[in-house]
Amino acid sequence: MVEVISVSAGNITFIGAGEELFITEARLRKATDEDVEAEKEIVEINGEKLVFGEGKFENDTIKYLKENYMKLLHYTIAKTASQDIVNLVIDIPGGQYNAHHKKMKDKIMDNNTIDLKINGELKKIVIADVWIQPEGYASFKVAQAQNLGADKLIPNTASLIFNIGGGTSDLVFIDENGKYDKADSIHTGLLDLYGKVVSELESKHDYYKVTVEDAKEYFRGNKKSHKIKGTSFKIQPTEDTFDDIYNDLKRKAPDVEHRNIYLIGGGAEVFGNKLTEKLPQTITVTDIAMDAKAMKVLGGAKKWSNQK
């Protein structure tokens, strides 16, 4: 049986949707003896033992070319799939779709055999086919079907799906008939915000040697430090990053004030209120798994060439 799954592949998170959801941070590192003693999950790929969800983020605009991309993808599929043959729906930044979706599919299909061990358990899965979607498009189709944000929607009006992610903020333009028009990308995202948090902590809070990974945890409230008092360190980086994103949004979509707006992605929770102040028609979806779940829905409805 061929199972349809989806993966939303970001610079901060990889999210798999199958029978259940699986979410991991988009980073990995080599495993140590201490990891084994601590009974952490150890993943072995081509003889290399790894720990996923820890280590350094790799921020690259063209994500499928990152050194860790295929390992993250294979791991996410192995944790998501319940069958040993899958059809995969996966996303790509909107601005890269035309130039890169075929190259991305080729790379995935050139590495379509997954062979790894998770805590010693062998996982062998074959990717039978790949369907690549612009980031955010599936979310729009599902939101449209579910009449999401109906109280804010302006009938017979073009829409914009705005997906603020880790390395990019992606735009999908929908015409007034609800049809896909085009896609584009802004090269600013949450990793830029966390980079600004690092600078803020180092320059104004006398907190040196802060990593982007630490900054993310401090910003999200997942990590505390006696050196950081309150949350004031968030204010300027958030305002500066939002200004950068919004200015580019206005440049990329000059008619944005006259469109229905769906804000999704990891940045929706951070910037939702600010964008709504500028564009009151904004419909904010803070579920970071929205696109993965939506792609799974579209993939389930698709007639795949290998399915009868």
Side-chain angles (χ1 to χ4, degrees):
M1 176 181 176
V2 180
E3 179 185 12
V4 175
I5 68 168
S6 68
V7 173
S8 180
N11 275 310
I12 292 180
T13 55
F14 267 56
I15 304 172
E19 292 182 357
E20 297 182 358
L21 278 175
F22 173 74
I23 302 176
T24 184
E25 289 204 340
R27 48 184 176 142
L28 56 89
R29 61 171 175 81
K30 290 184 178 180
T32 65
D33 292 340
E34 288 77 14
D35 294 323
V36 176
E37 291 174 5
E39 297 185 345
K40 286 191 175 183
E41 182 185 74
I42 306 298
V43 181
E44 186 174 340
I45 301 176
N46 295 328
E48 184 179 24
K49 294 183 178 180
L50 304 165
V51 174
F52 283 76
E54 299 182 21
K56 299 289 185 182
F57 289 114
E58 286 185 34
N59 185 12
D60 195 320
T61 301
I62 303 176
K63 289 179 282 192
Y64 73 93
L65 296 179
K66 294 195 304 182
E67 183 179 348
N68 65 12
Y69 184 88
M70 291 309 305
K71 291 175 182 176
L72 283 163
L73 178 60
H74 283 190
Y75 171 66
T76 302
I77 292 172
K79 295 288 286 188
T80 303
S82 60
Q83 303 295 324
D84 57 7
I85 303 175
V86 299
N87 285 334
L88 173 66
V89 189
I90 192 167
D91 51 7
I92 188 172
Q96 299 171 22
Y97 181 81
N98 289 337
H100 285 277
H101 79 277
K102 291 181 180 178
K103 296 175 185 177
M104 178 176 165
K105 180 175 180 176
D106 287 345
K107 178 163 185 178
I108 293 172
M109 293 306 293
D110 285 345
N111 297 272
N112 73 324
T113 300
I114 299 168
D115 188 344
L116 54 79
K117 292 180 182 178
I118 300 178
N119 287 341
E121 180 183 354
L122 180 63
K123 297 276 189 177
K124 298 193 80 169
I125 300 168
V126 174
I127 304 169
D129 201 357
V130 180
W131 187 27
I132 297 176
Q133 295 287 298
E135 290 182 6
Y137 178 67
S139 291
F140 169 75
K141 298 301 290 183
V142 171
Q144 187 183 43
Q146 295 176 349
N147 215 19
L148 183 68
D151 57 322
K152 285 190 172 185
L153 288 175
I154 307 166
N156 304 314
T157 300
S159 299
L160 179 72
I161 318 305
F162 194 31
N163 181 2
I164 302 179
T168 60
S169 297
D170 297 289
L171 301 82
V172 176
F173 295 82
I174 306 295
D175 69 19
E176 60 274 12
N177 298 312
K179 303 296 184 182
Y180 173 85
D181 180 16
K182 62 180 181 178
D184 207 337
S185 296
I186 293 168
H187 300 298
T188 305
L190 288 174
L191 289 175
D192 297 278
L193 167 63
Y194 301 141
K196 287 180 170 64
V197 170
V198 169
S199 297
E200 180 79 6
L201 291 173
E202 290 181 345
S203 65
K204 297 181 182 178
H205 295 262
D206 296 324
Y207 195 0
Y208 300 105
K209 296 183 180 179
V210 183
T211 67
V212 169
E213 292 74 24
D214 287 337
K216 171 185 174 291
E217 297 304 302
Y218 292 139
F219 189 93
R220 294 292 187 177
N222 299 327
K223 187 175 183 179
K224 304 293 184 183
S225 171
H226 68 278
K227 296 182 180 180
I228 302 174
K229 308 299 182 183
T231 60
S232 63
F233 71 93
K234 299 181 181 182
I235 296 173
Q236 198 61 51
T238 302
E239 290 180 354
D240 290 347
T241 306
F242 177 76
D243 287 345
D244 291 343
I245 291 172
Y246 187 70
N247 288 336
D248 275 346
L249 172 62
K250 292 278 286 183
R251 181 172 59 84
K252 298 274 190 179
D255 63 345
V256 67
E257 294 177 355
H258 305 292
R259 287 178 174 266
N260 294 314
I261 310 294
Y262 293 88
L263 177 63
I264 65 172
E269 183 177 1
V270 177
F271 299 115
N273 289 338
K274 287 185 173 295
L275 189 64
T276 302
E277 288 175 6
K278 299 281 190 181
L279 303 169
Q281 75 272 31
T282 299
I283 299 164
T284 301
V285 181
T286 57
D287 180 3
I288 64 169
M290 173 73 171
D291 219 30
K293 291 187 286 189
M295 287 191 293
K296 174 69 166 61
V297 171
L298 294 192
K302 175 179 169 62
K303 187 175 181 179
W304 297 81
S305 61
N306 55 25
Q307 290 182 326
K308 295 181 180 179

